C-alpha cells in the first residue's frame, strides 16, 4: 500500500523538472548530479545527517551536540513522508542557505546555513539533484529535542541578526583565484569555523577569533590559521594537503571528530581544492604570543621528563619527533601547544585511533594511559611536552585533567 | 546440527602469517574470502600497549598470548613402545593463538634456507653416499628449489621490511653479510640493526677464530619503513621485551603491522575471531572439500561452505585437522605406509652462557630485540665437510641476546648454589656482564621413521576429539651435531674473554618440560611423491585438490634456521600458484 | 569499560559480517576508549590464600632463599611471600587453562606434570608435610620459630634428601619454591614482590622501559637511569621533586 504513492510522488518530481531543461539545470542530468555529489562532500552533509555504520546515508537521526543540548539531524533522503521528497526547490534552498525550514520556522544554526549561504542557488540545486538519487529511507526523526528555552525557535531571529550575514561568497579581487577558492570552501561549504572558531555565549562566532581554535564536544579543535606557534604556520601546503587527504602528515594524524571529517569529506576532495584550502588557511594571520618557556627544573617539568622518557618515548621518540606519518611529532605539533589542552589530555587518558584512508591505511593507535597515570602525572607530562624541544605553552594543571577525565568518562568515542 | 552460512569463494582456517598472506593475495584476485580464527582479535595499541606490555611474569612466564592447553594440547612420548601422556602445561614449545598467530610474539629472525636444504636427500647422498645417513632417517627433497622460491623470499622480506646485510647479491659475495647464503636478487629493504656491546665482542672473537660473522636478518626494523602495501612501521627501540610479547611500537613485523590494516578495509574480506574449526568437510567422493564446520564462543556450530579451503592453522594444528577431517592416509610407522603425521621434526637448540668480569665488562644486556644478533654460518647445513664428524646437518651459532629480563636472566656460573646468600651475591655480581644467548646454537632436526604424529587412543579435547600424539626423541645424529656446534660456540665465547663459561648440550631423551623453540614442523610435508608427502610442491593436497595446507607442516625435515621466512615465502609461492594456475583451471596442479 | 568485557558480550567479533544481521560490521580497525587490559596491582593486607602459619612459613623460606643483607632486603621484606600468596589465590594457583582431564597416570620426568592438583593445593600439602617434619626434628617447633642456622641446615637436608617429607617429594618441591620466590623477587612490583624495585636496583635492571635507542651504541658504559615499574617510579611524582 505504501509503495504506490511513493512511486507516484517520485514520478511527479521527475516530470516537474524534465520540462525545464533548456537554460536551467536538469536535476536528472549526470554532470548536475555529480556536481551536487561533490558539493555534498564539500559540505559534509553525510556526517550530520547519517548515523554512523547504519548503512543508511542521509536518513537522519544522528544527535548533534551543542552547548544548549542535543539536536537531531533530520532525514534528507527523498522519502515522501519522512524525508524531503515533497519539498520544493525554493524550500530546500531556503533551508540550506537562509536557515528557514519548510513551515517557515527558523532552523538552528547547528545546520550551518550561516556558512552554506556562501554557496550559490545553482550549487544548492545541484546538491538537491544528488540527494534525489539516494535511496529513500523511511525514518521519522523528531527534531525538536532542545530543552526550554532553546526550543523556542523564534529567538533565532535575534541570533540571526547578530551572527548571520546572508549572501553568496564575493571573491576578493586582490587575492589569487586559488586563495578565493580556498576562502569560498573554508568559509562556505566546508564550514571549518563551525568547529574551529570560538563561540559567544549565544553560540555565534567570535569573529575576531576566526579559526583560532576552541573547545567543543569534549575536544579542543586547534587553531588553523597561519599562526607559527599554534596554527599551520610551520606546515607547508603539502603538509596541509597530506593531512586533509590522508589523515596523516609528517607532523600529526587526524583522530576523533576530525578523523571523521577526513574520512567522509576532505579525503574525497580534489587535490586542487585541498591546495586552495591550504593557501587560504595559511594566509590568515596568527596572533598568539608565546609565553615564556617553563624552566627545566620546575617540579612538573622534572616529573614530566621522567614520565616522558619512561613511557611516551616508546613511540614519540626521545626528542619528541615521532616517526614520519606513523607517530605524531610532539615537538612540531601546534595542537600540543593549544591554549586549551583538552584534546591532549583526552588523548593521553583514553588513547586514540588515527583515521585510516586509502592512502594511509595503517591507522596507528595510541594506547590509553588513564589507568596508569593519575591526574598529576598526566598534567606533569603534558606540561613537559608543551615546554620542550622549542615549544612554550602554559602548564597543564591536575584539575584540568580531572575535569576532562570526568567529562569524557561516559563518552563512547 | 550446524547452521549453514552463505557460501564464500575461499575459507581460510587460522589468521596468522600464512592466513593473512593468502587472504590478501586472494582478495586481490577478487575472491570473497572468509577467515576463521580460533583466538581473539589482537591489535597493537590495545593489546600490546607500552603501559603494560613489559611484564615478564605475565607474558613470558605465564605466557598469556599463547594457546591454553585446555583449549588444545597433545600427548607426548619418546618411543613407540611408551604410553603417551598429555602435555598438561606447555614446556618444549608453545603454540600461538589469536589473530596474528605466532607472528605477534615471535623474535623476528628471518633466515633463508640454503639451496642445498631444499634438495637435501639428493645432495647428501651425492656427497657422502647413502650409507653415511642413519638407516631410520627419512629426509627427502622438497620438490621445489631455492631458485624457484627466491622471488618469494624477496617478497616476504619486503613485506616485513627485514633489516640485514646481504651476503650474496646475485652471486657476488658481499663483505659483512652471510657468505654462505643463497644468491638474493636485491639487498635487504632496511639496513642491519646496530649491535649492542656483547654482540660486537662476539663478532670480533669470531673473526679472530677465522669465521665470518654477520648481523642476523631481523624482523625488528632498524629504521622506519613503508612496505609495498603502504603499511607503515617504526624503528625498533631495543626494549628487550620482544619474543613472547607483542610489539608496542609497530616496529616488529607481524600480520598486524604489515598486512591486516590494509586487508581489513577490503569489501571482499571478512573474519571471525573466537571461532574454532572442528573439521574440513569433504563431499562423498572424498576428493573435494565443501567447506568447514566451526564452533563459536557460545558453543554453536556453523558450517561455512566454500569453493577453496586454505588450511593455515599453524604447523601442528594443520596435521591435527587433517587427521580429524580424515583427509589423506594417516601415517603408520610400523607398516611404513601413509603420509599424514609423517616426518615430524623440531629444532636442535642449545646454548653457552658466558660470565665476564663486571669490573671490565658492562653489557647493558637489557638492551636488545628479538632478532638482534651476530652469527656465523660456517657450521650450518652442508657448509663444511661432515665426513670426519659422523653426522649430517648443522646450524648457525651466534650471540643472540634478546634482552635480560630478570626472572630468566639472573644466572649464576655452574657450581654456585641456587639459593641463599651466595646465590644472591653472585647474581648481583654477574647480571650486567653475563652473555646469555638464548638459543645460541640453532641446529637442524632431520626426520626419522619413528618421529611422527598420530591420534592418541586415550585422551580427548574439549570437543571430544582425540588429542594428537607426538612421538619424538633426540637421535644420535642430532646429539652429535649439537655437541659439535656447542663446542664451537663455547670456543668463541671463551675467546670473547669470559672468565667462566657454562655450555648446556642438548641431550636425549627429548624433554617436553623445558622450553626449546616453537619451531615444530612436518607432518603434512610437501614433495613430489604422494606416497611420501601430503601436499605437492604448491602445497596443494594430493587427496583434495581444492585444499592447500600452508605452514611449516610442509617441511620434510628442519634445517638449521628459523622457519618463518620460508613459511611466508611458501605461502606467497602457493598463492601465486593459485592465482596463476589453479583459478584458471581448478584441479590437480601436479600429476601424482 | 575494558575491551574484554565488550567482546564477552558478543559471541564473536565479525569484521565485515557475512550475515545480514551480524553482530558487528566494521571495515576499519576496531577501537574503544580506555581499551586494553592493564593488570591490577596487588593490594597489601591479610593473606588471601595462606593461613597465618603458612604465611609465616613462606616468609621464613623467603628469607632463607633470598637472605637480607645490608644493601638489599631479603625475600620477606621484598614481599615474595605476598607475591606467592596472591599468585596461589589466583589463576596460577588454580592451574587455570591447563589440561586437567583424566586419566592421571604417572609418567617419565620428561613427560611433565601429571597431577590433578594445581600449585595451590600442592603448596598446601607441602607446607603441611614440611611443618610436620620440622616439628618432628625440632621438638615440636614450626619452621618459622627456628634459629636461622637451623632453618638453613634443615633446608639443605631436604634438598639433599636427608630429610624426607610425608607424601611429598621434598627435594622437587623445594626446587619449585626456590623458583617461585626468585620469580616474585624479580617480577614487577605490582605483583607484590620486588617491593620498591629492590631486586632490580640490586642487579641494575632498568625495569619496564621501552626506548634505548640512544644507548644501543654506548658500549661498556653504565646506564644511569633508575628502574621504573609498570606502576611508575618515585620521580613521576611532582611532590617528590620538592
Amino acid at each position: 500500500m505504501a509503495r504506490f504513492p511513493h512511486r507516484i510522488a517520485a514520478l511527479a518530481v521527475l516530470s516537474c523538472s524534465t520540462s525545464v531543461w533548456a537554460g536551467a539545470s536538469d536535476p536528472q542530468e549526470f554532470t548536475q548530479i555529480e556536481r551536487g555529489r561533490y558539493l555534498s562532500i564539500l559540505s559534509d552533509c553525510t556526517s550530520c545527517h547519517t548515523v554512523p555504520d547504519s548503512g543508511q546515508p542521509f536518513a537522519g537521526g544522528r544527535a548533534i551536540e551543542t552547548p544548549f543540548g542535543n539536536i537531531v539531524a533530520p532525514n534528507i533522503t527523498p522519502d515522501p513522508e519522512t524525508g524531503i521528497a515533497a519539498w520544493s526547490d525554493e524550500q530546500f534552498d531556503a533551508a540550506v542557505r537562509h536557515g528557514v525550514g519548510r513551515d517557515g520556522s527558523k532552523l538552528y544554526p547547528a545546520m550551518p546555513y550561516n556558512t552554506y549561504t556562501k554557496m550559490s542557488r545553482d550549487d544548492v540545486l545541484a546538491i538537491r539533484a544528488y540527494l534525489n538519487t539516494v535511496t529513500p529511507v523511511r525514518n521519522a526523526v523528531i527534531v525538536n529535542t532542545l530543552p526550554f528555552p532553546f526550543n523556542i525557535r523564534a529567538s533565532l531571529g535575534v541570533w540571526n541578526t547578530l551572527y548571520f550575514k546572508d549572501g553568496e561568497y564575493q571573491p576578493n579581487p586582490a587575492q589569487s583565484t586559488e586563495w578565493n577558492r580556498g576562502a569560498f570552501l573554508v568559509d562556505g561549504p566546508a564550514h571549518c569555523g563551525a568547529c574551529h572558531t570560538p563561540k559567544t555565549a549565544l553560540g555565534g562566532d567570535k569573529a575576531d577569533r576566526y579559526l583560532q581554535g576552541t573547545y567543543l564536544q569534549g575536544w579542543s579543535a586547534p587553531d588553523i590559521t597561519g599562526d607559527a606557534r599554534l596554527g599551520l604556520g610551520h606546515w607547508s601546503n603539502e603538509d596541509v594537503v597530506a593531512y586533509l587527504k590522508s589523515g596523516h602528515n609528517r607532523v600529526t594524524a587526524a583522530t576523533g571528530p576530525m578523523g571523521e571529517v577526513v574520512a567522509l569529506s576532505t579525503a574525497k576532495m580534489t587535490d586542487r581544492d585541498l591546495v586552495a584550502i591550504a593557501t587560504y588557511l595559511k594566509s590568515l594571520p596568527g596572533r598568539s604570543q608565546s609565553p615564556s618557556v617553563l624552566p627545566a627544573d620546575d617540579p612538573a617539568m622534572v616529573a614530566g621528563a621522567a614520565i616522558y622518557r619512561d613511557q611516551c618515548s616508546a613511540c614519540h621518540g626521545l626528542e619528541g619527533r615521532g616517526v614520519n606519518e606513523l607517530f605524531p611529532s610532539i615537538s612540531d605539533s601546534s595542537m600540543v601547544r593549544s591554549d586549551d589542552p583538552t584534546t591532549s589530555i583526552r588523548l593521553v587518558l583514553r588513547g586514540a585511533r588515527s583515521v585510516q584512508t586509502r592512502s594511509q591505511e595503517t591507522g596507528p593507535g595510541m594506547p590509553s594511559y588513564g589507568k596508569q597515570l593519575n591526574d598529576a602525572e598526566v598534567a606533569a607530562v603534558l606540561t613537559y611536552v608543551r615546554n620542550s624541544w622549542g615549544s612554550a605553552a602554559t602548564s597543564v594543571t591536575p584539575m584540568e585533567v580531572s575535569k576532562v577525565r570526568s567529562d569524557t568518562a561516559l563518552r563512547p568515542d | 546440527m550446524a547452521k549453514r552460512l552463505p557460501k564464500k569463494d575461499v575459507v581460510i582456517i587460522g589468521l596468522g602469517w600464512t592466513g593473512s598472506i593468502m587472504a590478501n593475495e586472494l582478495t586481490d584476485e577478487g575472491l570473497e574470502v572468509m577467515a576463521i580464527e580460533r583466538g581473539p582479535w589482537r591489535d597493537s595499541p590495545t593489546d600490546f600497549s607500552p603501559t603494560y606490555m613489559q611484564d615478564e611474569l605475565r607474558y613470558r612466564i605465564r605466557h598469556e598470548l599463547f594457546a591454553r592447553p585446555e583449549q588444545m594440547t597433545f600427548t607426548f612420548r619418546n618411543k613407540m613402545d611408551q604410553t603417551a601422556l598429555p602435555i598438561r602445561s606447555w614446556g618444549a614449545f608453545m603454540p600461538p593463538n589469536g589473530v596474528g598467530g605466532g607472528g605477534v610474539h615471535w623474535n623476528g629472525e628471518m633466515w633463508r634456507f640454503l639451496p642445498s636444504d631444499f634438495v637435501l636427500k639428493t645432495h647428501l647422498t651425492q656427497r657422502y653416499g647413502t650409507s653415511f645417513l642413519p638407516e631410520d632417517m627419512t629426509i627427502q627433497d622438497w620438490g621445489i628449489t631455492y631458485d624457484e622460491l627466491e622471488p618469494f623470499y624477496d617478497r616476504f622480506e619486503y613485506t616485513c621490511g627485514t633489516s640485514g646485510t646481504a651476503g650474496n647479491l646475485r652471486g657476488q659475495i658481499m663483505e659483512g653479510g652471510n657468505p654462505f647464503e643463497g644468491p638474493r636478487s636485491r639487498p635487504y629493504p632496511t639496513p642491519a640493526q646496530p649491535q649492542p656491546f656483547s654482540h660486537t665482542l662476539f663478532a670480533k672473537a669470531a673473526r679472530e677464530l677465522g669465521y665470518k660473522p654477520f648481523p642476523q636478518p631481523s624482523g625488528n626494523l632498524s629504521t622506519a619503513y613503508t612496505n609495498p602495501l603502504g603499511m607503515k612501521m617504526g624503528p625498533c627501540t631495543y626494549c628487550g621485551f620482544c619474543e613472547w610479547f607483542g610489539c608496542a611500537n609497530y616496529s616488529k613485523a607481524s600480520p598486524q603491522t604489515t598486512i591486516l590494516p590494509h586487508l581489513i578495509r577490503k569489501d571482499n574480506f571478512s573474519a571471525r575471531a573466537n571461532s574454532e574449526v572442528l573439521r574440513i568437510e569433504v563431499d562423498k567422493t572424498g576428493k573435494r572439500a565443501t567447506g568447514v564446520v566451526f564452533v563459536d564462543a557460545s558453543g554453536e556450530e556453523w558450517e561455512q561452505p566454500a569453493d577453496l579451503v586454505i588450511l593455515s592453522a599453524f604447523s601442528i594444528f594443520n596435521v591435527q585437522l587433517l587427521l580429524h577431517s580424515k583427509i589423506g592416509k594417516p601415517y603408520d610407522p610400523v607398516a611404513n605406509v601413509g603420509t599424514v603425521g609423517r616426518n615430524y621434526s623440531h629444532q636442535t637448540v642449545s646454548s653457552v652462557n658466558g660470565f665476564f668480569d663486571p669490573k671490565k665488562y658492562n653489557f647493558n644486556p637489557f638492551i636488545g630485540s628479538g632478532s638482534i644478533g651476530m652469527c656465523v654460518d660456517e657450521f650450518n647445513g652442508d657448509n663444511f665437510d661432515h665426513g670426519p664428524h659422523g653426522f649430517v646437518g648443522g646450524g648457525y651459532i651466534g650471540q643472540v641476546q634478546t634482552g635480560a629480563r630478570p626472572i630468566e636472566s639472573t644466572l649464576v656460573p655452574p657450581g654456585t648454589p641456587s639459593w641463599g646468600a651466595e646465590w644472591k651475591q653472585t647474581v648481583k655480581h654477574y647480571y650486567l656482564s653475563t652473555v646469555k644467548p638464548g638459543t645460541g646454537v640453532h641446529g637442524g632436526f632431520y626426520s626419522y621413521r619413528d618421529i611422527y604424529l598420530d591420534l592418541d587412543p586415550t585422551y580427548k579435547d574439549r570437543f571430544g576429539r582425540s588429542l594428537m600424539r607426538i612421538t619424538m626423541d633426540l637421535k644420535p645424529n642430532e646429539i652429535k651435531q649439537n655437541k659439535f656446534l656447542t663446542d664451537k660456540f663455547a670456543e668463541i665465547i671463551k675467546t670473547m674473554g669470559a672468565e667462566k663459561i657454562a655450555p648446556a648440550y642438548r641431550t636425549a631423551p627429548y624433554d617436553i618440560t623445558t622450553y626449546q623453540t616453537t619451531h615444530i614442523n612436518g607432518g603434512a610435508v610437501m614433495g613430489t611423491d604422494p606416497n611420501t608427502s601430503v601436499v605437492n610442491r604448491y602445497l596443494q593436497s594430493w587427496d583434495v585438490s581444492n585444499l592447500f595446507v600452508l605452514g611449516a607442516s610442509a617441511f620434510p625435515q628442519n634445517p638449521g634456521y628459523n622457519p618463518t621466512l620460508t613459511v611466508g615465502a611458501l605461502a606467497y609461492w602457493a598463492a601465486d600458484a593459485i592465482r596463476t594456475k589453479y583459478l584458471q583451471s581448478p584441479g590437480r596442479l601436479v600429476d601424482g | 569499560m575494558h575491551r574484554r568485557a565488550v567482546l564477552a558480550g558478543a559471541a564473536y567479533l565479525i569484521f565485515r559480517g557475512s550475515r545480514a544481521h551480524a553482530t558487528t560490521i566494521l571495515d576499519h580497525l576496531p577501537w574503544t576508549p580506555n581499551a586494553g587490559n592493564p593488570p591490577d596491582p596487588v593490594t597489601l593486607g591479610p593473606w588471601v590464600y595462606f593461613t597465618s602459619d603458612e604465611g609465616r612459613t613462606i616468609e621464613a623460606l623467603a628469607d632463607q632463599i633470598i637472605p637480607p643483607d645490608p644493601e638489599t632486603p631479603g625475600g620477606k621484606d621484598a614481599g615474595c611471600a605476598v607475591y606467592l600468596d596472591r599468585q596461589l589465590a589466583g589463576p596460577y594457583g588454580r592451574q587455570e587453562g591447563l589440561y586437567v582431564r583424566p586419566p592421571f597416570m604417572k609418567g617419565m620426568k620428561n613427560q611433565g606434570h601429571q597431577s590433578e592438583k594445581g600449585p595451590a593445593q600442592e603448596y598446601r600439602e607441602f607446607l603441611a608435610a614440611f611443618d610436620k617434619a620440622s616439628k618432628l626434628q625440632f621438638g615440636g617447633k614450626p619452621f618459622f620459630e627456628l634459629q636461622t642456622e637451623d632453618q638453613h641446615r634443615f633446608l639443605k637436608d631436604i634438598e639433599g634428601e636427608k630429610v624426607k617429607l610425608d607424601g611429598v617429594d621434598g627435594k622437587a618441591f623445594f626446587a619449585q619454591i626456590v623458583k617461585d620466590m626468585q620469580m616474585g623477587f624479580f617480577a614487577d612490583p605490582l605483583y607484590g614482590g620486588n617491593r620498591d624495585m629492590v631486586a632490580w636496583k640490586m642487579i641494575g635492571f632498568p625495569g619496564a622501559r621501552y626506548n634505548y635507542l640512544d644507548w644501543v651504541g654506548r658500549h661498556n658504559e653504565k646506564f644511569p637511569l633508575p628502574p621504573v615499574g609498570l606502576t611508575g617510579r618515585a620521580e613521576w611524582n611532582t611532590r617528590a621533586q620538592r
Side-chain angles (χ1 to χ4, degrees), chain B residues 52 54-55 58 62 70 76 78 86 88 195 237 248 270 298 360 362 364 418 420 424 428 459-460 510, chain C residues 11 16 37 65 67 69 71-72 87 97 99 101 103 110-111 114 182 191 205 208 210 212 219-221:
Chain B
Y52 62 90
Q54 310 91 301
D55 187 339
R58 183 175 181 183
R62 307 280 185 246
E70 169 53 18
F76 161 75
N78 287 128
R88 297 186 179 276
Q195 299 285 336
T237 50
S270 32
S298 309
K360 298 210 200 99
N362 180 343
N364 286 333
S418 62
K424 193 182 183 200
K428 177 180 175 172
Y459 292 94
K460 307 256 182 275
Y510 178 87
Chain C
R16 273 275 148 185
N37 201 12
I65 292 168
D69 63 55
E71 278 137 26
T72 310
Q87 289 288 305
Y99 183 84
R101 285 163 200 269
N110 68 330
Q111 283 180 304
Q114 293 295 327
Q182 292 173 355
Y191 290 105
F205 174 61
Y210 222 85
Y212 292 110
H219 293 178
N220 220 1
E221 288 180 55

Side-chain angles (χ1 to χ4, degrees), chain A residues 47-61:
Chain A
S47 123
C48 287
H49 287 277
T50 307
V51 171
D53 293 329
S54 65
Q56 298 185 322
F58 306 109

Side-chain angles (χ1 to χ4, degrees), chain B residues 90-333:
Chain B
W90 299 125
F93 59 86
M94 249 174 243
N97 193 42
V99 171
V104 163
H105 45 67
W106 64 319
N107 293 53
E109 291 156 302
M110 301 192 73
W111 293 89
R112 297 187 177 196
F113 291 170
L114 297 165
S116 56
D117 286 331
F118 292 98
V119 286
L120 190 66
K121 181 81 187 286
T122 306
H123 175 97
L124 288 180
T125 319
Q126 269 171 12
R127 185 167 180 183
Y128 301 107
T130 348
S131 54
F132 193 75
L133 303 174
E135 207 206 306
D136 58 347
M137 187 181 268
T138 52
I139 56 174
Q140 42 194 75
D141 293 354
W142 291 50
I144 182 183
T145 65
Y146 172 88
D147 288 336
E148 287 176 300
L149 198 57
E150 200 285 328
F152 303 94
Y153 269 140
D154 174 278
R155 185 103 194 261
F156 191 35
E157 282 167 348
Y158 272 74
T159 294
C160 295
T162 314
S163 298
T165 303
N168 180 336
L169 199 52
R170 291 182 290 271
Q172 199 195 351
I173 304 297
M174 312 290 287
E175 188 63 41
N178 182 357
F180 298 97
E181 70 177 13
R184 56 178 60 241
S185 45
R186 51 178 176 161
Y188 281 99
T190 57
Q193 290 180 284
Q195 299 285 336
F197 182 33
S198 63
H199 295 64
T200 57
L201 281 185
F202 178 87
K204 179 161 168 290
R207 261 178 242 117
E208 280 168 27
L209 291 169
Y211 306 127
K212 292 198 159 47
F214 55 90
Q216 182 169 224
S218 173
N220 325 124
L221 303 198
S222 58
T223 62
Y225 177 74
T226 305
N227 82 1
L229 296 179
M231 299 287 90
K232 295 214 176 300
M233 295 169 69
C236 172
T237 50
Y238 309 98
C239 67
F241 290 91
C242 195
E243 73 280 14
W244 306 94
F245 304 82
C247 180
N249 60 11
Y250 293 76
S251 59
K252 177 159 78 174
S254 67
Q256 275 82 350
T257 53
T258 60
I259 300 174
L260 290 174
H262 168 76
L263 175 63
I264 208 174
R265 280 167 55 83
K266 294 180 179 175
D267 284 345
N268 52 340
F269 175 73
S270 32
R272 287 170 184 272
N274 296 310
S275 301
E276 173 147 15
V277 171
L278 295 178
R279 61 183 177 278
I280 301 164
E281 300 262 278
V282 288
D283 67 9
K284 284 195 289 290
T285 67
K287 293 197 167 62
R288 190 176 162 72
T290 57
V292 303
V293 169
F294 68 91
V295 69
D296 66 19
S298 309
E300 274 198 75
E301 270 188 36
W302 301 83
E303 186 191 335
Q304 176 59 66
D307 285 330
L308 179 58
V309 177
I310 307 291
L311 179 51
S312 51
F314 183 68
S315 61
I316 199 168
F317 299 134
N318 285 351
V319 182
Q320 182 181 45
L321 264 174
L322 288 173
L323 289 172
H324 284 313
S325 310
K326 301 192 176 14
I327 293 174
K329 190 159 181 198
Y331 174 61
D332 173 356

Side-chain angles (χ1 to χ4, degrees), chain A residues 368-379:
Chain A
S368 144
Y369 286 87
K371 186 163 175 189
Q372 189 195 37
L373 301 178
N374 62 31
D375 293 344
E377 288 162 347
V378 176

Side-chain angles (χ1 to χ4, degrees), chain A residues 200-234:
Chain A
T200 63
L202 286 180
D205 281 358
K206 284 188 182 163
D208 60 335
R209 307 274 308 275
Y210 187 52
L211 297 182
Q212 290 174 3
T214 186
Y215 172 92
L216 85 161
Q217 285 174 231
W219 296 82
S220 49
D223 181 324
I224 52 173
T225 67
D227 189 294
R229 191 174 77 88
L230 296 182
L232 308 176
H234 286 306

Side-chain angles (χ1 to χ4, degrees), chain A residues 24 49 60-61 71 142 154 160 318 323:
Chain A
H49 287 277
I71 292 177
I142 298 163
N160 283 347
L318 296 162
V323 173

Side-chain angles (χ1 to χ4, degrees), chain A residues 199-338:
Chain A
K199 305 285 182 275
T200 63
L202 286 180
D205 281 358
K206 284 188 182 163
D208 60 335
R209 307 274 308 275
Y210 187 52
L211 297 182
Q212 290 174 3
T214 186
Y215 172 92
L216 85 161
Q217 285 174 231
W219 296 82
S220 49
D223 181 324
I224 52 173
T225 67
D227 189 294
R229 191 174 77 88
L230 296 182
L232 308 176
H234 286 306
W235 289 26
S236 63
N237 274 10
E238 286 74 32
D239 289 333
V240 178
V241 170
Y243 180 87
L244 294 175
K245 190 185 175 92
S246 72
H248 297 255
N249 66 12
R250 87 187 149 78
V251 175
T252 188
T255 185
M258 190 62 195
E260 193 182 81
V261 169
V262 168
L264 297 176
S265 177
T266 62
K268 302 177 187 178
M269 295 185 188
T270 64
D271 283 2
R272 265 179 71 192
D273 276 350
L274 293 177
V275 174
I277 291 175
T279 306
Y280 175 64
L281 291 176
K282 280 168 60 62
S283 76
L284 300 174
R287 51 89 201 168
S288 77
Q289 251 117 8
S290 182
S292 45
V293 68
L294 268 176
D297 58 2
D298 180 290
M301 292 289 283
V302 176
I307 298 169
Y308 185 85
R309 166 93 210 200
D310 295 350
Q311 277 294 318
C312 324
S313 66
C315 297
H316 291 288
L318 296 162
E319 263 127 55
R321 281 204 283 268
V323 173
N324 195 11
E325 288 178 332
L326 184 65
F327 309 130
S329 167
I330 300 182
S331 57
D332 284 336
S333 169
S334 41
M335 192 281 288
V336 167
R337 299 187 277 263
S338 295

